[in-house]
Amino acid sequence: MARLTGEQLQALMKKEGVDRIWSWSKINCFHTSPYEYYLKYIKKAKEDRANSIYVTTGGIAHDILEKLYTNEITYGQMAELFEDGWMVAAEIADLKFDRSDEERNEKIKDKYYENLVHFFSNHTKLEGKPIIEQFVKVKIGGNLFQGYIDIAFKDEEGYITIQDWKTSSIYKGAKAENESGQLVLYADALIQQGVPKDKIKIRWNFLKYASIQYQQKNGEIKTRDVERCKIGESLQSNAKTWLKHFGYEPDEYLKEMLDTNSIDCLPEEVKAKYVISDCYVYINLTDELIKKWTDHVITIIQDIELREADYAETHSDACFWDTDESVKAQSYYFSNLCGYSRNLHKPYDEYCKRFEAAQNGTDMFSGLLGSETASKSSNVINNKSDDLDLSWLDNI
């Protein structure tokens, strides 16, 4: 669906009795770097570093999938459209995966391309009537939150699945829970409108990965998530076992698997031992997880508002200064993904200067500038609004 206009958002805020509306991008921006939040949302500074490819290729992938599920393109057009977008971003514009290491950039680039081409050539299309880019709103501690679900659908058992497309590296275990905030908030938006929590599922589809279900010689079925560019490589040992079991000389088959990154070359009885599908990672939606994320968002918003109040009095960007530990933890992001250069992102520049000075034998941490801001806990306020149109749920 089309994004809400500024007028529509103003009308929504008036109806909900709030003077601002929050989004996951704002919360996540502040969580990553308070100073980037200051540059983007307070100072409204234009980004001066546009050579990162991650946002561009992620946008290309989302756009292709949106067009597929809104019937603007056919399944067979996806790979071609990705090829076109890739040519512009990676070859013509020469956007980078790694801005500082050209050899590493080329390695990442080759793998990323092969992974995504494989996805768009082999994606298992969802059945039914999925809804794309559905607007949702949620109240969190009296704050109004808005967002757009990548894709939502209802399965045969009546469960509503909220899904996000991801072109990043896969999340597993604690990492998955720590990255689940956006999906959890979108689920809470439905819960606040009366959808039972136990009828909602949340998950990611990691485009660069495939799930491979395979049978071992002892009959046990296992599943592995592997990068799509490594399918042929990852199955070498198991395929060799089955080829020998059925009386085939394995060497030529294994070589062709590596060369083609495919199991299509295998004899049918061996190929039948494998099921390759999209890579989905589910998050268990619990009351504890919802509370964890709503509390986190409330704390972040309180921190932002305290810093904004300080800034209104002092007009000093020190109110939003990143700690040295935070910059260090996000150094890859600042180096390769952030849209602001050292010229504008002062905490990152200071960190780099100290690092460069340390390389020359001086004290890396001299002159450290930081900002300590107290934040308070708050209770979640689940204000239910009965007038939100949920008819889209009946259409999936």
Side-chain angles (χ1 to χ4, degrees):
M1 67 173 291
R3 299 268 166 159
L4 268 62
T5 64
E7 291 86 356
Q8 289 172 318
L9 290 175
Q10 288 294 328
L12 178 61
M13 287 188 287
K14 183 177 180 181
K15 176 184 284 188
E16 296 291 340
V18 298
D19 57 6
R20 70 195 299 180
I21 191 165
W22 296 91
S23 66
W24 183 254
S25 58
K26 286 185 178 181
I27 296 296
N28 197 48
C29 177
F30 182 85
H31 178 75
T32 303
S33 167
Y35 200 83
E36 183 177 1
Y37 181 94
Y38 159 75
L39 289 172
K40 184 174 292 187
Y41 298 108
I42 305 297
K43 194 175 180 180
K44 301 188 185 303
K46 184 178 179 180
E47 293 184 347
D48 63 338
R49 205 177 187 201
N51 65 334
S52 174
I53 198 170
Y54 286 101
V55 174
T56 301
T57 51
I60 291 169
H62 277 72
D63 184 59
I64 293 170
L65 288 162
E66 182 176 342
K67 287 179 177 177
L68 173 70
Y69 284 98
T70 54
N71 299 313
E72 295 179 55
I73 62 171
T74 64
Y75 185 95
Q77 291 177 294
M78 288 195 296
E80 181 181 353
L81 283 175
F82 178 74
E83 292 271 10
D84 292 343
W86 178 265
M87 177 62 70
V88 173
E91 305 301 335
I92 297 176
D94 194 28
L95 302 181
K96 302 294 184 182
F97 288 96
D98 193 306
R99 290 162 164 166
S100 58
D101 187 328
E102 188 59 33
E103 182 178 350
R104 187 166 186 270
N105 176 72
E106 288 301 313
K107 289 181 180 178
I108 299 173
K109 177 180 172 182
D110 290 344
K111 287 174 59 179
Y112 190 102
Y113 170 78
E114 190 173 344
N115 287 331
L116 270 291
V117 167
H118 189 278
F119 171 83
F120 285 118
S121 301
N122 295 277
H123 167 56
T124 302
K125 190 175 180 182
L126 298 169
E127 300 293 335
K129 298 184 291 184
I131 298 295
I132 305 296
E133 289 293 309
Q134 176 60 47
F135 174 83
V136 290
K137 67 175 183 178
V138 58
K139 277 289 191 72
I140 303 176
N143 303 289
L144 182 61
F145 218 92
Q146 59 98 10
Y148 294 84
I149 300 172
D150 277 359
I151 187 165
F153 61 94
K154 187 182 292 183
D155 64 21
E156 295 178 351
E157 298 177 343
Y159 290 95
I160 296 169
T161 297
I162 297 172
Q163 177 180 297
D164 196 13
W165 309 105
K166 297 297 289 187
T167 56
S168 67
S169 296
I170 194 170
Y171 305 150
K172 289 293 183 81
K175 174 70 171 176
E177 182 174 312
N178 291 336
E179 296 289 343
S180 67
Q182 186 174 23
L183 288 173
V184 172
L185 294 187
Y186 290 169
D188 197 28
L190 301 191
I191 293 168
Q192 289 188 18
Q193 298 304 316
V195 179
K197 174 176 63 67
D198 59 4
K199 298 299 289 185
I200 301 173
K201 296 178 181 179
I202 56 175
R203 73 182 190 184
W204 296 284
N205 184 332
F206 286 95
L207 275 58
K208 295 195 303 180
Y209 297 79
S211 288
I212 305 176
Q213 186 182 87
Y214 61 99
Q215 184 179 346
Q216 294 184 305
K217 192 68 181 296
N218 62 7
E220 185 178 352
I221 302 297
K222 289 198 169 184
T223 300
R224 294 174 59 192
D225 297 325
V226 302
E227 281 195 84
R228 290 177 177 270
C229 67
K230 295 181 179 179
I231 291 174
E233 174 187 335
S234 68
L235 294 175
Q236 289 283 295
S237 177
N238 186 265
K240 183 176 182 179
T241 298
W242 286 114
L243 285 164
K244 285 185 174 182
H245 173 79
F246 288 110
Y248 295 98
E249 174 56 45
D251 290 351
E252 286 301 316
Y253 289 104
L254 298 178
K255 182 178 184 303
E256 189 169 352
M257 283 178 65
L258 285 174
D259 292 342
T260 63
N261 189 42
S262 172
I263 63 170
D264 290 344
C265 63
L266 295 176
E268 288 301 320
E269 59 263 54
V270 178
K271 192 161 61 172
K273 301 297 181 182
Y274 308 103
V275 176
I276 300 176
S277 58
D278 282 6
C279 177
Y280 295 109
V281 174
Y282 287 84
I283 295 295
N284 187 22
L285 185 63
T286 64
D287 291 332
E288 291 77 17
L289 187 62
I290 294 170
K291 186 177 188 306
K292 168 187 172 178
W293 279 108
T294 51
D295 286 351
H296 174 73
V297 168
I298 290 167
T299 299
I300 289 284
I301 290 174
Q302 289 175 337
D303 194 355
I304 291 172
E305 291 176 339
L306 283 171
R307 293 177 192 243
E308 288 176 342
D310 286 347
Y311 181 75
E313 292 184 5
T314 65
H315 301 290
S316 169
D317 61 1
C319 300
F320 288 91
W321 204 270
D322 295 349
T323 66
D324 201 70
E325 292 78 9
S326 173
V327 176
K328 182 178 181 180
Q330 298 290 347
S331 58
Y332 183 85
Y333 171 81
F334 290 124
S335 177
N336 294 296
L337 285 90
C338 184
Y340 294 107
S341 71
R342 289 174 59 177
N343 291 333
L344 292 177
H345 200 294
K346 296 179 183 178
Y348 178 53
D349 183 51
E350 288 294 322
Y351 176 87
C352 290
K353 286 177 179 177
R354 287 193 296 277
F355 182 82
E356 291 159 359
Q359 303 291 49
N360 296 324
T362 57
D363 183 8
M364 177 177 175
F365 296 100
S366 60
L368 176 63
L369 175 61
S371 175
E372 295 293 333
T373 305
S375 55
K376 303 175 183 178
S377 61
S378 179
N379 294 323
V380 179
I381 302 176
N382 289 316
N383 292 330
K384 180 175 178 180
S385 176
D386 295 324
D387 57 0
L388 179 63
D389 180 16
L390 289 181
S391 60
W392 62 274
L393 290 173
D394 298 325
N395 296 325
I396 61 177

